[in-house]
Amino acid sequence: MECMRSVELFAGGGGLTLGTHLGGFSTEVVVEWDSWSCETLRVNGALGHPLVRNVDVREGDVRAIEWSDIIPGVDLVSGGPPCQPFSMGGKAMAAEDPRDMFPATAEVIRQLQPRAFMIENVRGLTRPAFTNYFSYIQLRLAHPDITAHPDESWSDHYARLQAEHTSVHTDLQYKVVTQLVNAADYGVPQQRWRVFIVGFRCDIDAEWSFPEPTHSAAALRAFQESGEYWDAYRVPKSYRHIEVRGCGDPSLRPWRTVRDAFVGLPEPTEKGSSCFLNHTLQPGARSYPGHMGSFIDAPSKALKAGVHGVPGGENMLRRADGFVRYYSVREAARLQTFPDRYRLNGPWSEAMRQIGNAVPVRLAQTIASSIHEHLELASVREYIALRQLNLNVSQAQVNA
């Protein structure tokens, strides 16, 4: 598999970086403003972690980064712009929120002109209240060269993009695909809904569609109803509670549960573990209505960047006997499919924030692998077409 070049924006603790690398891309530069997240990336690089060993970590605002020193020919730009402008728990200010970094993302794409891009954000971006702005984002990314005029509002820019979309042919255009997905459908032990925006440069011969799900709730329910799941873990019959509804294709693999994710991990203690990084018990968890934690025999609720994971106790484990406790950082990392050798820097609250903001590594790998495959096939087709053109020219010269 050809290793392709990538650049990442808003890298956080590195979930997307790890996933794109596993998907066949070599990340050259990552940009992140949070110092704890940058330290996580740097520490793992210094320790020789193979997925981030040679990454250039640039700490700061993505709008202030100088991109002219990047060698032309970047294959992929990836990133997860801050989600707070569209989050269910935020003020939902969208374009009016100073943290909205979609315009900055489009500007980086305009400058680097990658063969493809992969952008991730929260499910809230697809809410009816953001319909027009979501459409604007897609058009803005499809036509990075059609930039906003000074003092032009996003709505005026949107109207201009709509008018020019089918009539203006700039040198830089992208075919854009969007998809709302549940990470659990791709083998992540967590119900985490996210929207992905993927674009291929128009000169790339790639007919891409989002990868099909590999796992389903229906398969997990059938696995548990048959008794095989419980027998595999020797769960007493009094604790065999089934909470998952049977949605999806039952012929797929079962959704992965919290119990599945924690195989091999000892119970965390306040002294920590000598065998597992970041595996220390955080005391103080308690259950109350609306804050019940994530059931051990189902995928976890979506981890949140907030320290305590409210509402709903997303950052908290609930056993069948009703016992609750906070996830250790390592347990949360496993729910986000981070490798055990990857160290999360900072105190519990900051490490959990990095985990809660991350893209699940396995989900990022699935999408990146598919993008890589289509870029590779496009390169092969381009090579064959060029070779055929050269043969035709040579034959024409002989005939002449």
Side-chain angles (χ1 to χ4, degrees):
M1 183 170 64
E2 178 190 353
C3 193
M4 298 181 183
R5 302 171 59 214
S6 68
V7 168
E8 184 169 331
L9 316 177
F10 321 106
L16 196 55
T17 305
L18 299 176
T20 52
H21 193 110
L22 289 169
F25 293 92
S26 177
T27 306
E28 296 181 353
V29 175
V30 300
V31 181
E32 172 58 44
W33 70 271
D34 176 65
S35 59
W36 289 110
S37 297
C38 289
E39 191 63 20
T40 287
L41 292 161
R42 292 188 184 113
V43 163
N44 283 283
L47 291 173
H49 196 288
L51 302 183
V52 291
R53 185 165 44 218
N54 298 315
V55 175
D56 177 6
V57 180
R58 301 188 182 185
E59 185 174 344
D61 191 322
V62 67
R63 294 167 295 187
I65 299 298
E66 177 58 57
W67 297 105
S68 61
D69 62 342
I70 303 293
I71 298 172
V74 170
D75 295 290
L76 179 73
V77 165
S78 61
C83 63
Q84 292 88 346
F86 313 100
S87 174
M88 299 289 189
K91 296 181 179 180
M93 296 173 63
E96 307 307 319
D97 194 313
R99 295 169 295 186
D100 175 26
M101 289 290 122
F102 275 103
T105 301
E107 175 57 22
V108 174
I109 291 170
R110 185 189 72 80
Q111 292 189 46
L112 295 183
Q113 302 185 17
R115 298 172 73 206
F117 61 76
M118 175 174 64
I119 309 299
E120 176 266 0
N121 215 271
V122 293
R123 183 182 192 175
L125 183 58
T126 63
R127 291 158 66 184
F130 299 140
T131 297
N132 284 343
Y133 193 68
F134 188 34
S135 296
Y136 166 65
I137 288 171
Q138 293 173 64
L139 278 177
R140 181 75 178 84
L141 293 171
H143 300 277
D145 272 349
I146 306 178
T147 59
H149 298 318
D151 300 322
E152 184 178 32
S153 68
W154 77 264
S155 55
D156 288 342
H157 189 202
Y158 178 37
R160 186 159 58 84
L161 280 165
Q162 287 178 307
E164 298 180 2
H165 176 58
T166 56
S167 60
V168 174
H169 299 284
T170 61
D171 291 335
L172 184 62
Q173 296 185 51
Y174 288 85
K175 294 170 284 189
V176 176
V177 176
T178 65
Q179 184 76 32
L180 178 65
V181 301
N182 183 355
D185 291 338
Y186 296 87
V188 177
Q190 182 186 171
Q191 290 215 59
R192 191 178 187 86
W193 287 92
R194 287 297 185 271
V195 62
F196 280 83
I197 309 171
V198 175
F200 283 79
R201 212 171 58 206
C202 282
D203 63 311
I204 304 299
D205 183 13
E207 295 296 329
W208 187 83
S209 61
F210 207 86
E212 292 294 323
T214 53
H215 296 66
S216 76
L220 174 59
R221 187 174 184 89
F223 191 36
Q224 291 179 336
E225 287 177 340
S226 72
E228 294 179 79
Y229 172 87
W230 310 110
D231 292 343
Y233 290 117
R234 300 181 181 178
V235 178
K237 289 187 177 180
S238 59
Y239 290 160
R240 297 185 177 190
H241 301 165
I242 299 176
E243 294 197 358
V244 174
R245 296 180 181 179
C247 299
D249 184 349
S251 69
L252 299 178
R253 282 174 279 178
W255 268 359
R256 296 182 64 225
T257 68
V258 174
R259 192 188 295 273
D260 291 329
F262 292 175
V263 167
L265 276 180
E267 278 290 304
T269 67
E270 292 189 44
K271 292 183 179 180
S273 170
S274 60
C275 299
F276 292 94
L277 298 169
N278 307 113
H279 192 44
T280 303
L281 177 66
Q282 180 71 17
R286 62 189 181 92
S287 176
Y288 51 86
H291 188 84
M292 303 300 291
S294 294
F295 185 50
I296 191 171
D297 291 309
S300 175
K301 298 176 182 178
L303 300 180
K304 298 291 181 66
V307 174
H308 299 297
V310 292
E314 289 88 348
N315 295 357
M316 191 168 68
L317 169 69
R318 172 169 56 91
R319 294 195 188 122
D321 61 2
F323 172 82
V324 298
R325 64 168 173 78
Y326 286 124
Y327 292 135
S328 74
V329 172
R330 179 50 47 199
E331 289 172 330
R334 282 218 176 168
L335 294 172
Q336 288 280 56
T337 58
F338 277 75
D340 282 348
R341 286 181 55 203
Y342 195 78
R343 182 187 298 273
L344 279 301
N345 194 62
W348 184 80
S349 59
E350 292 298 337
M352 290 296 283
R353 198 183 314 280
Q354 292 172 53
I355 290 291
N357 277 325
V359 178
V361 176
R362 182 167 181 160
L363 180 59
Q365 179 184 357
T366 297
I367 302 168
S369 294
S370 179
I371 293 171
H372 185 281
E373 177 186 353
H374 282 74
L375 288 176
E376 203 165 44
L377 288 172
S379 295
V380 170
R381 284 192 288 266
E382 289 170 8
Y383 171 77
I384 292 173
L386 181 59
R387 184 174 176 81
Q388 186 61 51
L389 177 62
N390 290 335
L391 288 173
N392 292 341
V393 170
S394 298
Q395 186 61 49
Q397 290 173 341
V398 169
N399 293 339

